[in-house]
Amino acid sequence: MQNIMKTELVTKINHQAVEPRIRDLLLNALTVSSGAIDAISFLALGKVFSAFMTGNIAFLGLRVAGASAPGVVAIFSSIVAFAAGVYLSTRIVKHSADSGIWPQRVTVALGVSLIPHAAFLAVWFATNGQPSLDVAHVLVGLWGFAMGMQSAAVRTLHVEGVFTTAATATVIFLAGDLTNWSATVMERRRLAGVLVSLFVGSTAGGLLLVHAHIFAPVLPFLVTVAAVATAAIVLREPGR
């Protein structure tokens, strides 16, 4: 009996040590997805972003000022859809604050975000990857909604400096952690991993759009599917 209890304790400790690493890998995967999405959105859907709302608000200011900027409809399609995604995802995850390192509701919210991802792919393939201006607005909205859901879900994890859809806070936290070098190794590794993932995602999205245009949006969809499946299998809440 005592040996069984010891074995269970060791297993639990090992599991608790592995969970943060898996969480960080999933955050990296989601950041790769959002990086690819923003690259494809900017290059193929009217020079707007689906995840990086700071850029869209700056574009809106340029538009008001009369400077060269993306269309107002495209900008608002992304911003409004993103906000709607944040609202829905927050409703899903709002009661999961004390449910471990990766609450099940976070996985549910990310799973729901796959619906607009899939709808995007359906419309993209139906237009052979060459959507009209009006259809492009719909596509930006679909991805904006998905990215809003992802952002709100990740926010529930309370991982400082990590949002997966924007890098400004990550750079701030990473530079700040440099002042406390010996005590923040894990944090710096996590933050640096997110920045690298964003670069990798945007690079991959751009390359696919140039060399395999029709299949470019498949990358962020598959990466998100893999992240959701991994979370559902590996980071299940105890007792479920």
Side-chain angles (χ1 to χ4, degrees):
M1 183 67 178
Q2 189 174 14
N3 290 335
I4 294 175
M5 293 178 64
K6 287 182 179 179
T7 302
E8 291 178 348
L9 179 60
V10 171
T11 302
K12 182 178 180 181
I13 292 173
N14 289 337
H15 189 63
Q16 290 174 340
V18 169
E19 278 186 341
R21 298 179 184 178
I22 297 174
R23 177 202 62 195
D24 292 350
L25 288 173
L26 294 180
L27 292 174
N28 290 342
L30 293 173
T31 307
V32 168
S33 176
S34 67
I37 281 173
D38 264 346
I40 296 167
S41 294
F42 187 82
L43 294 175
L45 300 176
K47 305 298 183 183
V48 294
F49 297 112
S50 293
F52 183 52
M53 291 300 108
T54 303
N56 286 339
I57 292 173
F59 289 152
L60 185 61
L62 291 174
R63 193 76 184 179
V64 172
S68 177
V72 173
V73 176
I75 295 172
F76 272 107
S77 295
S78 180
I79 294 176
V80 172
F82 187 92
V86 170
Y87 175 81
L88 176 59
S89 187
T90 302
R91 296 277 297 183
I92 294 172
V93 303
K94 66 184 298 185
H95 299 299
S96 60
D98 300 318
S99 301
I101 195 169
W102 188 286
Q104 186 185 40
R105 286 177 178 266
V106 171
T107 305
V108 171
L110 292 173
V112 174
S113 77
L114 291 173
I115 297 174
H117 270 290
F120 182 103
L121 284 179
V123 176
W124 177 266
F125 282 115
T127 60
N128 199 33
Q130 302 292 338
S132 65
L133 183 61
D134 290 338
V135 174
H137 294 158
V138 173
L139 292 176
V140 166
L142 287 170
W143 259 354
F145 190 82
M147 291 297 94
M149 293 201 69
Q150 178 178 307
S151 295
V154 168
R155 179 171 172 264
T156 306
L157 302 177
H158 300 296
V159 182
E160 287 191 325
V162 177
F163 294 93
T164 72
T165 53
T168 303
T170 307
V171 173
I172 292 171
F173 276 82
L174 181 59
D177 281 346
L178 295 178
T179 63
N180 193 18
W181 184 265
S182 61
T184 57
V185 175
M186 292 300 294
E187 287 81 359
R188 286 199 307 278
R189 186 177 300 163
R190 179 187 306 118
L191 296 171
V194 169
L195 294 178
V196 171
S197 297
L198 188 62
F199 174 81
V200 169
S202 59
T203 301
L207 286 172
L208 283 171
L209 202 60
V210 172
H211 299 289
H213 183 91
I214 189 66
F215 297 109
V218 175
L219 171 66
F221 176 73
L222 291 181
V223 170
T224 306
V225 167
V228 172
T230 302
I233 296 169
V234 181
L235 296 178
R236 290 179 298 177
E237 294 176 24
R240 292 188 180 277

